[in-house]
Amino acid sequence: RPDLLFLDIQLQGRDSMQLLGELKESLSQMPKVIFTTAYADRKYLMSAIKFSAIDYLLKPVGKNELTLAIAKAVDSSTKNEEVPTQVSGKIPFNTPNGKMLVDGDDIAYLCAEGNYARIVTFHDEETILESLKSLEQQLPESFLRIDRSTILNMKHVYKVNSRRSQCILMSPDKQELILDLSKSGIKTLLSMIP
């Protein structure tokens, strides 16, 4: 099993998203993925995010970019070794009443709530007895801290309205959540979407 894959979007006879779909079904743990491609299209970037790609590098790839991407892959491997034990792919969180196990894909976003955080799914929300900073270490690579008080699951980003400073998140079953963001949060989010 490879630890890290470098993929272009187009492969001989198919695209890399098909390959990653097949790997996801056949492997118990997915390798880290860095895309190196000439495709700057947003749909490919969003697909890469859904597969938790470490980075999406546009060709020609500079030496510094490549070095940083590899460092991120190594860092995320180390970070994953430190993550508390997950039960059947779910992430454990401490709540005021005990523990909560949540599939990372079910999380829409997390936001600061004083010294704690609030986890929001498309069906529920709960106070978590941890800070955003400590939660950042537990979350998969598809999560991005976009400002001091918000961590977004980039897999669910559907629309960004910079005029209203809002992000619309959509679940796989087409449920929408509207999230008001700070100006810096919108700016960070827009910088992640080509």
Side-chain angles (χ1 to χ4, degrees):
R1 185 188 79 78
D3 292 320
L4 177 63
L5 293 176
F6 288 89
L7 292 176
D8 199 340
I9 294 296
Q10 289 299 321
L11 305 173
Q12 284 186 315
R14 62 182 169 171
D15 71 29
S16 56
M17 300 308 162
Q18 290 171 318
L19 172 65
L20 288 174
E22 292 168 15
L23 287 175
K24 191 172 185 176
E25 289 178 17
S26 63
L27 295 175
S28 60
Q29 184 178 1
M30 283 289 287
K32 306 294 180 206
V33 178
I34 296 174
F35 283 94
T36 53
T37 184
Y39 289 89
D41 191 320
R42 180 180 185 270
K43 77 174 188 176
Y44 292 119
L45 174 64
M46 295 310 288
S47 294
I49 288 170
K50 287 183 181 177
F51 280 105
S52 300
I54 295 292
D55 216 329
Y56 191 92
L57 306 174
L58 293 177
K59 292 178 182 175
V61 178
K63 185 178 179 181
N64 288 342
E65 284 180 294
L66 185 59
T67 302
L68 287 172
I70 292 170
K72 269 201 271 187
V74 170
D75 185 47
S76 76
S77 292
T78 305
K79 181 169 77 172
N80 286 344
E81 290 169 5
E82 298 167 1
V83 171
T85 305
Q86 296 185 1
V87 178
S88 61
K90 296 190 177 192
I91 304 168
F93 297 102
N94 295 317
T95 68
N97 298 317
K99 290 258 185 204
M100 176 180 184
L101 294 171
V102 182
D103 187 324
D105 289 343
D106 291 342
I107 301 169
Y109 67 94
L110 298 100
C111 59
E113 197 171 72
N115 292 331
Y116 303 119
R118 186 166 35 103
I119 185 171
V120 179
T121 69
F122 289 93
H123 307 287
D124 196 13
E125 55 184 87
E126 179 78 45
T127 298
I128 305 298
L129 302 178
E130 297 175 63
S131 68
L132 281 186
K133 184 173 183 163
S134 69
L135 289 171
E136 249 181 318
Q137 305 305 311
Q138 298 179 54
L139 298 169
E141 290 82 21
S142 61
F143 287 83
L144 174 68
R145 186 157 190 176
I146 58 166
D147 61 24
R148 287 180 34 182
S149 62
T150 312
I151 299 175
L152 271 183
N153 186 342
M154 295 298 288
K155 289 182 179 183
H156 296 303
V157 173
Y158 175 63
K159 288 182 185 175
V160 179
N161 185 328
S162 55
R163 192 170 42 99
R164 291 186 177 164
S165 291
Q166 290 180 330
C167 174
I168 299 173
L169 304 167
M170 186 178 286
S171 71
D173 61 349
K174 306 293 184 217
Q175 291 184 44
E176 287 185 7
L177 278 177
I178 298 173
L179 176 61
D180 294 319
L181 297 173
S182 65
K183 289 185 191 279
S184 67
I186 287 289
K187 185 177 178 181
T188 301
L189 184 55
L190 288 173
S191 73
M192 296 303 296
I193 301 172

